[in-house]
Amino acid sequence: MAAARLRRGAALRRPDRSPLDAEERARVAAFVHPADRDRYVAAHLTLRRVLSAHRGVAPAELRFARRACPCCGGPHGRPVLAGSGTPHFSMSHTGGLVLIAAAGKRPVGVDVERLPAPHKATTVGEVLHPAERREIHAAPPSLRPAVFARLWARKEAYPKGLGTGVGRGPDLGFLGNPAPGAPARPPGRTVKDIPVGPEHAAALALSRPPAGGPELAVHSHFLGSLGLTPGGPRPERISPEPFPHKTSPRKAE
């Protein structure tokens, strides 16, 4: 798994967009706000660099397709790499943070969320599973934004890990922390919190290996703070830790 930050307030130079395909360029052209366009370009160029390392090809040579939509069957479901033997992947970005996950044989889902304002954590949290709502209300008011963001990231990552995309209601299935009297989590899936610093929450979802198989291992790489240069996103520093000043959120097994 790879993570990168887009520098806030930086003067971003126009990168080389030639690795992007026609669909990605159309999305770029559709953005109204330059900051949103810059984040999209940085995220997708970074995605291509990560996946090209897995495939051993140049970023521009990667070809993407889309699965059928799980809700209507249309050709606009989750993106996948074209070809056989390609890794599953998932990407999420919010604000200045990009999170990318790749897995060899099983669909993987990842999501990152910025911590919301306290009032939003309570009001939007009302659409979650009843037991998850109780988890938010049981937390001290100062911690409710982090609890909500952690739950919401899990709810977004879980259907991506199923390979279906986010075509599920947030009140379906319990993904809160295990506790006396709490419902059981959906079987066959592992959902883990990913430490991404105090301003965000993130989660990764993956199907569990068969009985007796190897345990899930998550290898995290922080690519650095990304500035957009003519050659594309480049890390300004490399750290062996995903986020050197990270907090330690509770893990969801």
Side-chain angles (χ1 to χ4, degrees):
M1 188 173 62
R5 291 191 187 278
L6 183 63
R7 290 178 297 162
R8 296 178 181 176
L12 302 180
R13 300 170 61 186
R14 183 182 176 89
D16 176 15
R17 299 178 184 174
S18 61
L20 302 181
D21 61 22
E23 181 179 344
E24 291 169 316
R25 294 179 195 179
R27 291 285 303 275
V28 170
F31 282 108
V32 175
H33 302 292
D36 294 334
R37 181 182 62 243
D38 291 340
R39 293 186 185 109
Y40 179 91
V41 170
H44 282 254
L45 289 176
T46 303
L47 174 66
R48 284 181 171 271
R49 289 184 180 276
V50 170
L51 295 179
S52 69
H54 280 267
R55 294 286 289 153
V57 300
E61 295 179 20
L62 296 173
R63 296 292 178 265
F64 294 92
R66 286 191 175 271
R67 293 189 183 276
C69 173
C71 298
C72 69
H76 49 261
R78 63 175 292 166
V80 295
L81 275 176
S84 60
T86 56
H88 295 273
F89 71 91
S90 181
M91 178 176 69
S92 179
H93 55 92
T94 181
L97 184 64
V98 180
L99 200 61
I100 297 167
K105 298 180 180 180
R106 293 172 286 170
V108 62
V110 72
D111 188 70
V112 60
E113 300 289 336
R114 184 185 294 275
L115 269 60
H119 71 277
K120 184 177 180 181
T122 302
T123 56
V124 180
E126 292 303 308
V127 304
L128 296 174
H129 187 282
E132 295 166 343
R133 298 200 298 266
R134 291 194 293 270
E135 191 172 319
I136 294 174
H137 288 290
S142 63
L143 297 181
R144 287 175 186 170
V147 174
F148 167 81
R150 184 168 59 242
L151 288 167
W152 197 267
R154 295 173 189 171
K155 304 295 272 197
E156 294 278 349
Y158 178 78
K160 296 179 185 178
L162 291 174
T164 61
V166 288
R168 292 165 48 94
D171 60 331
L172 298 178
F174 172 74
L175 292 174
N177 288 336
R185 285 194 175 187
R189 304 285 162 180
T190 293
V191 181
K192 284 185 174 290
D193 295 333
I194 303 299
V196 287
E199 297 180 359
H200 296 81
L204 176 142
L206 195 69
S207 61
R208 290 178 181 166
E215 293 296 322
L216 171 65
V218 178
H219 304 283
S220 299
H221 305 277
F222 180 41
L223 300 182
S225 298
L226 299 180
L228 297 187
T229 66
R234 297 290 185 181
E236 293 189 334
R237 65 182 177 84
I238 300 294
S239 168
E241 295 294 332
F243 287 83
H245 304 293
K246 63 180 180 291
T247 57
S248 297
R250 288 174 292 180
K251 288 195 173 182
E253 297 298 339

